[in-house]
Amino acid sequence: MTVPDGVVFEDNFDSYTNGAVPGNGWVSHWNGDPNRITDLIKVSSSKAYSGANALNIDSPGAGAFAYIDLPDEAAGANKLYIRAYINLSNGLGGSAGGHSDLIKLGRYFRQGQQGIDQSGDNKAIKYGEAKGTIGINVLEHGDAIWPKSAQNGDEQIPKNAWQCMEVLFDKNSGSYADSITTWLDGRIVSEIKANNSGQWSGRWQNGPPPANWLGDVTEGQVGFGWQAFSNGGNNIFIDDLVISTKQVGCNYMPGQSGTGGMSSSSSSSSSSSSSSSSSSSSSSSSSSGSTGNGDNLFAMDFEGETLKELPAGWETLVAYVPNSGNAKQSVFVDDARAHNGSKSLKVIGPANGPAQIVKRLPEGKQRIYMRAWFWMSKTMGNQPGDNHEHIMGLKAFEGGFNKFSTNLEFRVGQGKGHLGFNTLPSDAITPSDLQGEPKWYSGPKTPNNRWYCVESAVFTDTNFHEAYMWVDGNLVSEIKNAKDLHNTDDANWATPRDTSFTEGYAFFGWHSFSGRSMDMWIDDIVVSDKKIGCN
């Protein structure tokens, strides 16, 4: 496998001597007796994700770090991705205390071969744990800490388990302030990102910092280790480190290109590019049940998934709780029926409240198509007295306290007993029933007790944002202008509150506003930026 475009540094630690500090530019520091450095910071063969060795930092909590200079190609880059496989003896998050540092980005002064002057901390971005969840400390701007308080449902890094962690430090977030995004095993678990929901300021302790709060952190060093301000030590293993100006994902391993254990890929022609790879976040779906082609953002056929468990790489929204510990009682991989193969997703849809699987979309997309096969015990459409039911859709990124909820949604299913859409926050409904041609509680309907294909699409690159719904290839509902909507909505309805449905989350599952429960199965999901079809 060739080195991915944008990579400026990589290291698999296999070329170093077991038990020694890493060479080739690495320097070590800890806040104690320097004679103990090799006890705390060393290359180890006792635990590696791949190959023979990993970087081992056994920090008692007082601050032990291994630093490497960021290559010149990273200086001034708008986007810097740090991808590594990590294993933490005490995990990260879950405590009620202060904060701990796992990664430091900033400018430091070298003190000889095995030391570094950490007085540069006052201009560092210190990434790790804050208030029991993934967070940061920005010392340069008044010791600002994110988040101000722990939030239910925020992600943690488990103990003694290898995780593919990728962190984006983004100095070019469009209309937003600088931002940090974290993926674990290809799934977005943390977004430190502003929007206009009014929660940006309230999420910071001693903040918020200014819009350009990441500053010049891409022009110094990056350090890996552990310093705890309340929660004790951590024995950390880091392997297969990649630093890039484009997203890497979890599949690439250093050394696969034949360049050896470490490279500084200064020849990369686009290493300072500010654009991120729109497809890499989809390729990081770690499930062996994923399928797709070059146009697909992600796909899932559930064949490689574990029965009675959640599908890998997906989040959930069940009973309005993101990633509830009880989610797999309502959405789980099942072998009772399948459209293709032997498995599908079973959804036990309640009479009220959502039961959905959710996955983040890549940024930069203006058209999103979603296709899935459904088997449902009841029909939708041509249903007198029904209100709304939804089987798929898009959620906009909300920021602040919520990554996603049901507050900003494009919903596909039926509205007022007719196959169509419902959009929030405006609560606009299609089809319209105001044009002298009543349509509610009429029209085509879906079959029941057999598999059928549903595809939907949302466009934000048209003068009036558009949406379409097909059942078994037949167009059954559309939004092309204001008269298609029963409630008033503006032309930019798919970009509510300065966010976008097409850059948020795709969801599949059940949500009823008519008091209707539903046993359903979903299979052969595809999400793309081009038309998919049923074949």
Side-chain angles (χ1 to χ4, degrees), residues 2 12 18 32 36 55 102 136 138 142 149 164 178 186 204 241 248 302 371 381 406 415 420 425 486 492-493 508 510:
T2 59
N12 63 14
N18 178 39
R36 289 196 60 201
L55 175 64
L102 179 67
I136 57 170
V138 187
S149 59
C164 170
D178 292 348
W204 288 90
L241 169 66
V248 179
F302 303 100
R371 196 286 315 273
T406 60
H486 186 80
N492 299 323
W493 59 266
F508 298 85
W510 180 252

Side-chain angles (χ1 to χ4, degrees), residues 390-405:
H390 311 113
I391 59 174
M392 64 165 64
L394 301 174
K395 303 175 187 286
F397 168 75
E398 295 180 54
F401 294 98
N402 296 320
K403 291 190 300 183
F404 58 81
S405 69

Side-chain angles (χ1 to χ4, degrees), residues 222-422:
V222 58
F224 302 90
W226 187 258
Q227 183 170 7
F229 293 88
S230 60
N231 302 324
N234 223 331
N235 190 15
I236 297 171
F237 291 84
I238 297 173
D239 203 359
D240 297 315
L241 169 66
V242 182
I243 300 175
S244 178
T245 58
K246 293 188 176 183
Q247 190 166 14
V248 179
C250 295
N251 293 330
Y252 176 70
M253 298 295 161
Q256 290 182 346
S257 62
T259 59
M262 177 183 130
S263 70
S264 179
S265 305
S266 58
S267 62
S268 174
S269 62
S270 59
S271 61
S272 60
S273 170
S274 62
S275 64
S276 64
S277 169
S278 63
S279 62
S280 56
S281 64
S282 62
S283 66
S284 57
S285 175
S286 59
S287 167
S288 60
S290 297
T291 62
N293 56 46
D295 294 327
N296 293 344
L297 304 179
F298 53 83
M300 176 63 78
D301 62 13
F302 303 100
E303 291 305 298
E305 303 299 305
T306 303
L307 289 173
K308 307 303 179 184
E309 296 291 337
L310 301 173
W314 291 78
E315 301 185 75
T316 59
L317 186 71
V318 174
Y320 297 102
V321 179
N323 301 316
S324 166
N326 296 320
K328 68 180 182 180
Q329 298 177 13
S330 300
V331 288
F332 53 87
V333 178
D334 187 58
D335 61 355
R337 55 175 48 90
H339 174 248
N340 278 314
S342 61
K343 297 177 183 176
S344 64
L345 180 79
K346 183 170 184 181
V347 179
I348 301 175
N352 294 287
Q356 302 165 344
I357 58 170
V358 182
K359 193 173 183 69
R360 185 66 194 264
L361 299 165
E363 295 183 355
K365 299 299 180 182
Q366 294 181 296
R367 296 192 173 202
I368 293 294
Y369 291 82
M370 297 173 289
R371 196 286 315 273
W373 287 80
F374 294 86
W375 195 106
M376 297 166 59
S377 57
K378 301 174 184 176
T379 63
M380 293 187 304
N382 200 6
Q383 298 293 320
D386 270 9
N387 191 13
H388 307 295
E389 271 70 43
H390 311 113
I391 59 174
M392 64 165 64
L394 301 174
K395 303 175 187 286
F397 168 75
E398 295 180 54
F401 294 98
N402 296 320
K403 291 190 300 183
F404 58 81
S405 69
T406 60
N407 295 326
L408 301 176
E409 283 191 332
F410 166 72
R411 299 163 167 175
V412 181
Q414 71 171 359
K416 297 299 184 183
H418 191 292
L419 295 179
F421 314 110
N422 178 215

Side-chain angles (χ1 to χ4, degrees), residues 419 445-447 452-455 469-476:
L419 295 179
K445 65 180 181 179
T446 64
Y452 61 94
C453 169
V454 178
E455 184 171 5
M469 178 184 180
W470 299 267
V471 174
D472 287 336
N474 299 310
L475 183 66
V476 296

Side-chain angles (χ1 to χ4, degrees), residues 6-25:
V7 172
V8 298
F9 178 84
E10 61 178 36
D11 204 339
N12 63 14
F13 305 100
D14 287 347
S15 63
Y16 309 128
T17 302
N18 178 39
V21 294
N24 293 330

